[in-house]
Amino acid sequence: MGRELIMALFLSLSLLSVPFAAEARIRHYKWEVKYEYKSQDCYKKLAITINGRTPGPTIEAQVNDTVVVELKNSLLTENVAIHWHGIRQKGTPWFDGTAGVTQCPIVPGDTFVYKFVVDRPGTYLYHGHYGLQREAGLNGMIRVSLPPGESEPYTYDHDRSILLTDWYHQSTYEQATGLSSLPFDWVGEPQSLLIHGKGKFDCSTPGLKSGLCNATNPECSPYVITVIPGKTYRLRIGSLTSLAALSFEIEGHTMTVVEADGHNVEPFVVKNLFIYSGETYSVLIKADQAPTRNYWAVSKVVSRNNTTPNGLAIFNYYPNHPRRSPPTVPPVGPAWDDVTPRYAQGNSTKARQGYVIPPPQTSNRHIVMLNTQNTINGYTRWSVNNVSYNLPNTPYLIAVKDRLNHVFDQTPPPDGYDSQNYDIFSIANNTNATTSSSIYKLQFNSTVDIILQNANSMSNKTSETHPWHLHGHDFWVMGYGQGKFDINSDPKKYYNLVNPIMKNTVSVQPYGWTALRFVADNPGVWAFHCHIEAHFYLGMGVVFEEGVEMLGRYPTSITGCGDTKSYRKP
Amino acid sequence: MGRELIMALFLSLSLLSVPFAAEARIRHYKWEVKYEYKSQDCYKKLAITINGRTPGPTIEAQVNDTVVVELKNSLLTENVAIHWHGIRQKGTPWFDGTAGVTQCPIVPGDTFVYKFVVDRPGTYLYHGHYGLQREAGLNGMIRVSLPPGESEPYTYDHDRSILLTDWYHQSTYEQATGLSSLPFDWVGEPQSLLIHGKGKFDCSTPGLKSGLCNATNPECSPYVITVIPGKTYRLRIGSLTSLAALSFEIEGHTMTVVEADGHNVEPFVVKNLFIYSGETYSVLIKADQAPTRNYWAVSKVVSRNNTTPNGLAIFNYYPNHPRRSPPTVPPVGPAWDDVTPRYAQGNSTKARQGYVIPPPQTSNRHIVMLNTQNTINGYTRWSVNNVSYNLPNTPYLIAVKDRLNHVFDQTPPPDGYDSQNYDIFSIANNTNATTSSSIYKLQFNSTVDIILQNANSMSNKTSETHPWHLHGHDFWVMGYGQGKFDINSDPKKYYNLVNPIMKNTVSVQPYGWTALRFVADNPGVWAFHCHIEAHFYLGMGVVFEEGVEMLGRYPTSITGCGDTKSYRKP
């Protein structure tokens, strides 16, 4: 309460002293990235931290502020790159932080300065976009507020943020080595779910190395969300799981969804919120239950028949003790394999009245992307239209700008697959995909439709949920469907041309499809990929290029790898 | 036997078909560096491998051949650099492979081509020179033979090589994080000693994570050196331990030392050979014992009161089964704390008659280097003259060549310490050292004396053994002594001005000193450092620069980090 008062005073003073209240400011962050031993879920292991923390510090800014992150890489031998997830980087595509696409990774000892404008209010994320570093703990949230005097179309008393993740005890090197092995050696389901960096692994699990798990370590005491009875909370929820699709709920409370990926949502009420890796939501929660006790906040894996225990936090009604366990058994959450409520949530998520950005009614290009698991020379891979993605040594942005055509495949990737003959419900007969580093060149300002078509994986009767994330743009979510997409009937039947929500990440459900539309209006080179860390690592992604010729000189700080090593002192 | 015959035939044919037998050739190697799960000592962990192997392939070449190693970095997020230990890199200082000194590290996905001439016969090493990668398994041997028709001044029937290492179960990241922590968290003594990559950890040790240790894994069956009774073997022995000083012996056999670091040694006989990290020796061993059994080959840690079990290999008398255990208890080796035989071996190691390269009788510069452990802001460091080394972001070779003076400290490091007032037998009163990235500028072709002066560490009554390695040069080992070096009396008393051995690595014993002399005749920038991996990591090293202005353009492949990121497409 005191803090809010001080903030209010501060803001009033700011209003007095600053002639234009909405004037954009520089938000300067100095970050050091390094390994530290952490016991996020009571099990001690190395985590990649920012200034000693994981999740890293929340970036807080106002619309049109410039965020400057001066990132010092203090890892021993590992490079790093950080993606600002949901920030479109208009005019600064070189600061998108996608290693291999928009920059060379930052080598140890070097300091890299990211500088970009946050041009829209809302809830965004940041995370490592190199190797599997995101899941090693290199992640955090971005909160962009409206200028003073402006307000959201909904009211609340307080604003809180939580980041949901899953957590492995094996290092990213161990995981990656397994993924690239013959035979395929998968790390399996995560050991824990973390709520804003805190989880609880069962230290009595047999077979653990001694001395590493300590159930009484305060680092793994449950995360606490303290609320004052009767007040309404805006809870900003982001997911940066490496694998898990989640359901999140607060025992005994409903949540009104009001924001998704930075866009206002026509409010709807849920008991539990489904959230996929790369998504953010704001929900409103009223602390309207019996104030004499605390309640459980629960995250739970859905869409996989899994072994990961639910993540638990405490929804603490002031003045109950924040560590006091709720007297009830935590809610068990929805059935993992019931897709019906997940489709329902997707279909309920529409642009809010008065905030609708109408989509173009037609598109210039139509790309169908079949999502499959494949093998290539025996190695397990994930593919789009039977092409598994390999990043080139020289980042595309540099390669395209400097016309280094030899550094990546110049044959365009396919705009579709043989939908007539491909049975999405069976394991593919032809298990041999190809790898490629080619990219989709989009006409500048053209409207592009993407149909993400899910299919059976390499396991019998299995189709996974894939959350797809687009860099540099928001897209309209035109519609969802089950089974094989039919271009002749499904758009008419399922597309929302009136008030579709805009997002940067959307899921495609098992054996289903999801249709997106976006305008290629942001000069740069942009990744579009499954946000499951291991899936992208194994090739489940593509890259779009548009209008690079319109860009000025890129900052040389993005160089240092591949062909740029032939560059000379000016 | 068959192999030797074929080789002989091949050599004869070569002599017939090649007009000049001694003509230099290109030895081309294609290496892929990546992580693989290995069970070197029965405990499964990630190792850095070259083409799937650790130790990596032995480079075999003839004098004046050009070795080309095309190194593809297939690590996930880690850079790499490989140093060719003992190769002077005359004219190719940029291929010395010392990250931060002679090159930027090689980023994942990139291929770097090392190309250098091996201008002298002998036994050399190679290993990672970035972070702690050497001890993760990135190491191997180089064997440079005389041209056909020339021969060593000693005879033997067969030539064998073994590399001695120590082995930790914790990853290099875990170790480095501990070393850089407050309080200092040291990994402790190695779990195993490996003989050419093979050791045996006791899988019944309590507290291990289940499923990782398998005593019957063939990967950790003992290394076997097979010999034919009556024959004489040249055994080339290299050590690339991360920490341990070793004694090596073969049960029941003596060894005649004939080569050290590529130089012929006036032969002397030992029961056990002391060998420090970075050293190589050739010994002659006659298989003259009872041929009805096998014998133990044993490596043992000396100079530390340690817990690491001895490493064991089998010296197999053909036709006994190579896996048949010797019927005897393995020799226990010398007492860990007896320095007398270690000094004796050092003093016995002299240049062989007829192969003496006489040292300059005087020197132009005299640098005393006090070796101390220190704390800086509470962090534990190792220092030279109370200066702890920090590598700059931009490698020195590039910085000096391109005159980027701002990238490292320009104040020269001290040529000595306050020897009158410093008590080498006590913990230093002043525990505050400084860090610096400054370098010693040596006059080209000048003769430089270095006195390595050992002292007490930060632990009471403890002084460690430090093996110092000089890049780009061999030095004469002028002499060894105990206690504090006295410039007025010790050179006269202890210096060997007649037939000192030349080496690239030499040890300084607890509370002792070692004097070296070298000629600064190799244009480039050269590291000189303690070869204990953690000591160099914690600052125990210096850098010499000489004659860089005489060098032509460096290959741009060494760029990519620090200030070179401002370089532009030509």
Side-chain angles (χ1 to χ4, degrees), chain A residues 121 144-146 150-156 159 234 236 264 355:
Chain A
V144 184
S145 58
L146 287 165
E150 292 186 36
S151 62
E152 285 94 358
Y154 44 89
T155 56
Y156 51 89
D159 197 338
R234 176 181 184 176
R236 299 169 187 258
N264 288 315
Y355 294 86

Side-chain angles (χ1 to χ4, degrees), chain A residues 37 76-79 108-110 130 170 174 207 210 393 402 537 553 556-557 559 562 565-569, chain B residues 37 76-79 108-110 130 170 174 207 209-210 393 402 537 556-557 559 562 565-569:
Chain A
Y37 277 108
L76 177 61
T77 51
E78 261 184 81
N79 307 314
D110 274 0
Y130 185 54
Q170 280 197 282
E174 291 171 319
S210 63
N393 282 0
D402 290 351
Y537 174 72
R553 265 197 170 182
T556 59
S557 58
T559 65
K565 294 189 87 161
S566 66
Y567 291 8
R568 283 277 179 191
K569 196 176 178 209
Chain B
Y37 276 108
L76 177 59
T77 50
E78 260 183 82
N79 307 313
D110 274 359
Y130 186 55
Q170 280 197 280
E174 291 170 318
K209 188 175 168 191
S210 62
N393 284 358
D402 290 352
Y537 173 73
T556 60
S557 58
T559 65
K565 294 189 88 162
S566 67
Y567 291 8
R568 285 275 178 192
K569 197 176 177 212

Side-chain angles (χ1 to χ4, degrees), chain B residues 178-187 373 378-382 534 538:
Chain B
L179 293 173
S180 301
S181 287
L182 202 59
F184 189 59
D185 179 13
W186 182 52
V187 64
Q373 198 179 28
Y379 291 93
T380 297
R381 301 280 300 185
W382 285 91
L538 293 172

Side-chain angles (χ1 to χ4, degrees), chain B residues 476-505:
Chain B
W476 289 273
V477 181
M478 302 307 287
Y480 301 90
Q482 289 180 286
K484 195 187 281 185
F485 176 76
D486 181 338
I487 193 158
N488 297 314
S489 57
D490 285 338
K492 280 169 235 149
K493 237 190 281 180
Y494 295 105
Y495 278 21
N496 176 356
L497 290 162
V498 180
N499 60 351
I501 189 71
M502 294 196 85
K503 294 185 98 262
N504 60 62
T505 306

Side-chain angles (χ1 to χ4, degrees), chain B residues 235-478:
Chain B
L235 187 61
R236 299 169 188 257
I237 308 169
S239 171
L240 284 174
T241 54
S242 65
L243 175 70
L246 298 175
S247 159
F248 178 80
E249 69 185 288
I250 293 170
E251 183 189 14
H253 294 72
T254 57
M255 305 185 278
T256 305
V257 180
V258 292
E259 183 212 347
D261 294 5
H263 291 273
N264 288 315
V265 168
E266 184 63 28
F268 65 98
V269 176
V270 293
K271 185 172 154 290
N272 61 285
L273 178 79
F274 294 102
I275 182 166
Y276 305 93
S277 182
E279 287 190 317
T280 68
Y281 288 94
S282 281
V283 297
L284 301 180
I285 303 167
K286 190 162 189 196
D288 57 4
Q289 297 301 302
T292 53
R293 52 165 287 195
N294 292 335
Y295 296 84
W296 293 110
V298 183
S299 66
K300 174 201 166 92
V301 179
V302 292
S303 99
R304 303 183 65 84
N305 192 359
N306 69 93
T307 55
T308 310
N310 290 354
L312 295 176
I314 292 177
F315 198 70
N316 163 234
Y317 270 62
Y318 182 84
N320 293 289
H321 193 284
R323 300 258 182 277
R324 190 170 150 208
S325 275
T328 40
V329 173
V332 294
W336 71 266
D337 55 353
D338 185 1
V339 295
T340 312
R342 282 140 61 191
Y343 275 110
Q345 180 181 312
N347 288 319
S348 300
T349 309
K350 301 189 192 85
R352 186 175 183 124
Q353 275 194 309
Y355 295 85
V356 175
I357 304 166
Q361 296 296 296
T362 57
S363 74
N364 305 108
R365 188 168 174 185
H366 192 267
I367 305 173
V368 182
M369 296 191 175
L370 180 70
N371 290 202
T372 57
Q373 198 179 28
N374 303 70
T375 53
I376 298 180
N377 302 325
Y379 291 93
T380 297
R381 301 280 300 185
W382 285 91
S383 307
V384 171
N385 294 337
N386 279 310
V387 177
S388 188
Y389 215 71
N390 270 346
L391 286 171
N393 284 358
T394 311
Y396 291 109
L397 187 58
I398 296 170
V400 174
K401 188 75 191 157
D402 290 352
R403 298 201 174 80
L404 310 171
N405 288 344
H406 58 283
V407 306
F408 65 91
D409 300 339
Q410 295 295 307
T411 317
D415 271 19
Y417 71 106
D418 179 8
S419 68
Q420 281 209 306
N421 298 308
Y422 193 98
D423 178 6
I424 65 161
F425 296 101
S426 310
I427 296 174
N429 287 327
N430 175 12
T431 56
N432 250 333
T434 54
T435 56
S436 172
S437 60
S438 67
I439 63 179
Y440 290 92
K441 288 180 182 286
L442 304 179
Q443 207 184 322
F444 190 70
N445 264 334
S446 65
T447 301
V448 181
D449 274 12
I450 307 282
I451 315 298
L452 295 164
Q453 175 66 61
N454 215 335
N456 204 98
S457 71
M458 296 290 287
S459 310
N460 202 18
K461 298 198 174 163
T462 304
S463 179
E464 300 194 12
T465 302
H466 302 285
W468 280 80
H469 171 60
L470 178 59
H471 292 224
H473 310 76
D474 291 337
F475 47 73
W476 289 273
V477 181
M478 302 307 287

Side-chain angles (χ1 to χ4, degrees), chain A residues 34-37 43-46 72 76-80 103-112 130-133 169-178 180-181 185 206-210 379 393-394 402-404 537 553-570, chain B residues 34-37 43-46 72 76-80 103-112 130-133 169-178 180-181 185 206-210 379 393-394 402-404 537 553-570:
Chain A
K34 61 174 180 172
Y35 274 111
E36 289 192 32
Y37 277 108
Y43 184 91
K44 185 178 164 190
K45 62 160 280 190
L46 286 184
K72 166 97 192 275
L76 177 61
T77 51
E78 261 184 81
N79 307 314
V80 74
Q103 68 166 104
C104 291
I106 307 159
V107 304
D110 274 0
T111 296
F112 187 96
Y130 185 54
L132 307 179
Q133 289 179 340
H169 293 172
Q170 280 197 282
S171 72
T172 55
Y173 313 97
E174 291 171 319
Q175 293 182 47
T177 303
S180 301
S181 286
D185 179 12
L208 296 185
K209 189 175 167 191
S210 63
Y379 290 93
N393 282 0
T394 311
D402 290 351
R403 300 202 173 80
L404 310 170
Y537 174 72
R553 265 197 170 182
Y554 57 77
T556 59
S557 58
I558 67 171
T559 65
C561 57
D563 265 37
T564 70
K565 294 189 87 161
S566 66
Y567 291 8
R568 283 277 179 191
K569 196 176 178 209
Chain B
K34 62 174 179 172
Y35 275 111
E36 288 192 32
Y37 276 108
Y43 184 90
K44 185 179 165 190
K45 63 160 278 189
L46 287 183
K72 165 99 191 274
L76 177 59
T77 50
E78 260 183 82
N79 307 313
V80 75
Q103 69 166 103
C104 290
I106 308 159
V107 303
D110 274 359
T111 295
F112 186 96
Y130 186 55
L132 305 179
Q133 289 180 339
H169 292 171
Q170 280 197 280
S171 72
T172 54
Y173 313 98
E174 291 170 318
Q175 293 182 47
T177 303
S180 301
S181 287
D185 179 13
L208 295 184
K209 188 175 168 191
S210 62
Y379 291 93
N393 284 358
T394 311
D402 290 352
R403 298 201 174 80
L404 310 171
Y537 173 73
R553 266 195 170 183
Y554 58 77
T556 60
S557 58
I558 67 171
T559 65
C561 57
D563 264 36
T564 71
K565 294 189 88 162
S566 67
Y567 291 8
R568 285 275 178 192
K569 197 176 177 212

